[in-house]
Amino acid sequence: MIPEKVKKILKKQQYRIVGEKGHSAVQICRWTKNSIRDEGVCYKEKFYGIKSHRCCQMTPAVMWCPNKCLHCWRAIELTLGDKLAEKAKEKLDSPKEIIDGCIKAQKKLLEGFKIKPETKHKTVSKANMKKWLEAQEPMQFAISLSGEPTLYPMIGGLIKELRKRGKTSFLVSNGLYPEKIKELAEKKQLPTQLYISVNTPNKKLYKGFHRSSKKDAWERLNKSLEIISKIKGQNEGRKTRTVFRMNLIKDLNMEDKMILEYANLIKKAKPMFIELKGYMSVGFARQRLGYERMPDYNEMIDFAKKLEKQLQKMKLDYKILDKHEHSRAIVLGKNKKDLKIKSY
Ligand code: SF4
């Protein structure tokens, strides 16, 4: 399914293609490595309580996405469009094959961390072996590695299988397939945490920023925001938490004049949380946007406070609940006690 040239690039980036049909992949997150070495955890562990060292960063649609977002660190110039959704089931790996394949590949990728007292060679690994042992069984699946995961037709089945195995799942979507989000809600196959990425306040900026193959991309995104507004939160008996996620880039999508438009989109989506993440100049994004567009922590805090003020002016009682300075990440919500994931 994936051209050899692209497979080579992915392999070089430490991706491992999993499954027989080869449309899924896993890559060890740097925070998983950091945590195994007791060198810090990711902001999602700090905010929501998932365990970075037991996290599997994966995707069932590694090279399929309708967008070419400016800030994306993946090789989006090589993506294969969005036709994965039209492939017949037998042409795709099943949820079980993908999950088993990810766990097997993750174990292999973490082999190098193992401290082998039996070998006479001085080991270089600084791994916390208790964490390394726990990491052999990932309990959190971050369905966000690359591509648009809702293009995988059996995404609901994959989430359901993860729930059955007692694992949490974070699904990060660009919101361009509202019918799929609706289907997940109707079939009660929603993830532990459902992210919709919103990186522009209006249609005009959306076009230049996302360079989508979908002419009605902005309308599709807004439809998805309406759909998640109706998804009940964790403290209303449902086990799904919705997140309005913004990736902020200096001098591009975080100007004061844009705050009211973002606030209106948040009003439409009524998310449980709003996550602000500072753009990272890594991977292929470096060539497109460079370093100088990375907002520093104070600029992120400044934007978060202005957004908080605007939302409260609109009687939407969101407030800053937590921050992660290293990742320049900030989360807003209604109540700090809602932050930690209580049930799987
Ligand atoms: S939740 Fe995200 S940042 Fe945290 S360890 Fe998993 S992939 Fe990495």
Side-chain angles (χ1 to χ4, degrees):
M1 265 193 202
I2 300 175
E4 280 313 311
K5 186 179 94 180
V6 180
K7 276 190 191 160
K8 280 204 186 82
I9 292 173
L10 292 173
K11 188 138 181 135
K12 238 166 87 200
Q13 293 183 313
Q14 299 306 315
Y15 282 57
R16 291 294 177 271
I17 302 290
V18 304
E20 202 192 302
K21 308 293 185 332
H23 51 82
S24 306
V26 64
Q27 182 201 46
I28 305 288
C29 173
R30 69 189 180 93
W31 285 105
T32 300
K33 297 175 188 171
N34 289 354
S35 181
I36 288 173
R37 290 187 292 245
D38 288 331
E39 292 168 358
V41 298
C42 74
Y43 72 84
K44 292 161 195 165
E45 174 160 347
K46 183 168 187 275
F47 295 171
Y48 312 119
I50 59 99
K51 296 293 176 215
S52 303
H53 71 287
R54 301 192 78 179
C55 178
C56 180
Q57 181 182 228
M58 58 78 68
T59 173
V62 64
M63 289 309 288
W64 288 266
C65 186
N67 282 0
K68 293 188 185 310
C69 313
L70 290 177
H71 71 299
C72 187
W73 43 270
R74 295 89 175 180
I76 52 172
E77 285 70 14
L78 300 169
T79 42
L80 307 169
D82 67 349
K83 295 289 172 276
L84 185 72
E86 289 150 23
K87 288 202 184 298
K89 264 195 177 159
E90 60 279 2
K91 293 248 181 336
L92 299 166
D93 291 310
S94 72
K96 273 195 179 60
E97 284 166 324
I98 295 172
I99 296 169
D100 293 343
C102 285
I103 294 173
K104 193 163 159 237
Q106 177 115 341
K107 274 185 180 166
K108 215 153 176 1
L109 286 164
L110 289 175
E111 196 53 34
F113 283 81
K114 186 177 182 186
I115 296 179
K116 305 180 183 86
E118 69 278 7
T119 60
K120 58 183 182 323
H121 308 299
K122 183 151 176 6
T123 178
V124 286
S125 171
K126 288 186 286 178
N128 167 332
M129 282 309 288
K130 178 174 172 298
K131 277 188 172 177
W132 182 82
L133 281 169
E134 288 173 351
Q136 302 309 299
E137 182 62 39
M139 291 306 289
Q140 149 74 1
F141 271 62
I143 312 173
S144 58
L145 174 57
S146 75
E148 171 51 33
T150 60
L151 284 172
Y152 172 59
M154 295 174 266
I155 187 69
L158 190 138
I159 290 166
K160 196 169 167 215
E161 179 63 23
L162 289 170
R163 265 192 201 282
K164 216 170 86 195
R165 299 186 191 194
K167 301 176 190 298
T168 54
S169 53
F170 284 15
L171 177 67
V172 180
S173 172
N174 59 23
L176 294 199
Y177 302 92
E179 68 286 356
K180 201 67 193 175
I181 309 281
K182 197 157 177 274
E183 183 191 312
L184 292 177
E186 282 162 0
K187 290 187 174 173
K188 299 191 176 15
Q189 296 176 327
L190 286 161
T192 313
Q193 205 143 298
L194 172 61
Y195 285 78
I196 301 288
S197 300
V198 181
N199 303 311
T200 53
N202 55 53
K203 185 170 183 171
K204 188 164 171 292
L205 202 61
Y206 186 98
K207 280 202 163 143
F209 187 101
H210 292 289
R211 306 176 297 175
S212 184
S213 64
K214 298 284 174 207
K215 295 280 163 287
D216 58 345
W218 177 251
E219 288 73 19
R220 286 164 171 259
L221 171 62
N222 279 269
K223 187 88 195 105
S224 289
L225 297 179
E226 275 161 30
I227 290 168
I228 69 163
S229 72
K230 300 186 185 71
I231 291 175
K232 286 207 177 140
Q234 191 179 38
N235 49 13
E236 292 158 329
R238 291 277 319 132
K239 293 182 180 168
T240 294
R241 306 141 58 95
T242 53
V243 184
F244 186 101
R245 186 166 195 276
M246 301 165 68
N247 200 299
L248 297 174
I249 301 149
K250 219 164 137 177
D251 307 330
L252 190 60
N253 67 351
M254 57 184 299
E255 290 159 33
D256 293 359
K257 66 177 188 215
M258 297 172 180
I259 287 185
L260 177 57
E261 287 176 297
Y262 281 126
N264 284 326
L265 292 170
I266 290 165
K267 186 176 179 191
K268 179 184 284 187
K270 298 191 191 68
M272 199 168 169
F273 303 113
I274 301 154
E275 219 178 78
L276 307 179
K277 178 76 182 65
Y279 151 69
M280 283 281 276
S281 180
V282 290
F284 293 86
R286 215 175 286 158
Q287 292 133 26
R288 282 182 236 112
L289 288 171
Y291 285 99
E292 53 293 337
R293 290 283 180 95
M294 288 172 65
D296 64 28
Y297 186 56
N298 294 331
E299 288 162 330
M300 290 295 296
I301 294 289
D302 180 54
F303 183 92
K305 285 187 175 152
K306 287 175 181 156
L307 180 63
E308 180 187 47
K309 198 159 161 240
Q310 177 58 48
L311 291 168
Q312 289 173 358
K313 218 161 83 188
M314 294 159 67
K315 305 270 176 286
L316 299 167
D317 54 351
Y318 291 96
K319 55 183 174 290
I320 295 173
L321 297 179
D322 204 350
K323 310 157 191 160
H324 190 283
E325 181 160 359
H326 184 99
S327 299
R328 293 161 303 122
I330 301 153
V331 63
L332 293 89
K334 307 221 167 144
N335 204 324
K336 189 137 184 139
K337 73 174 180 35
D338 294 338
L339 269 177
K340 294 286 184 275
I341 293 171
K342 295 180 191 62
S343 63
Y344 282 63

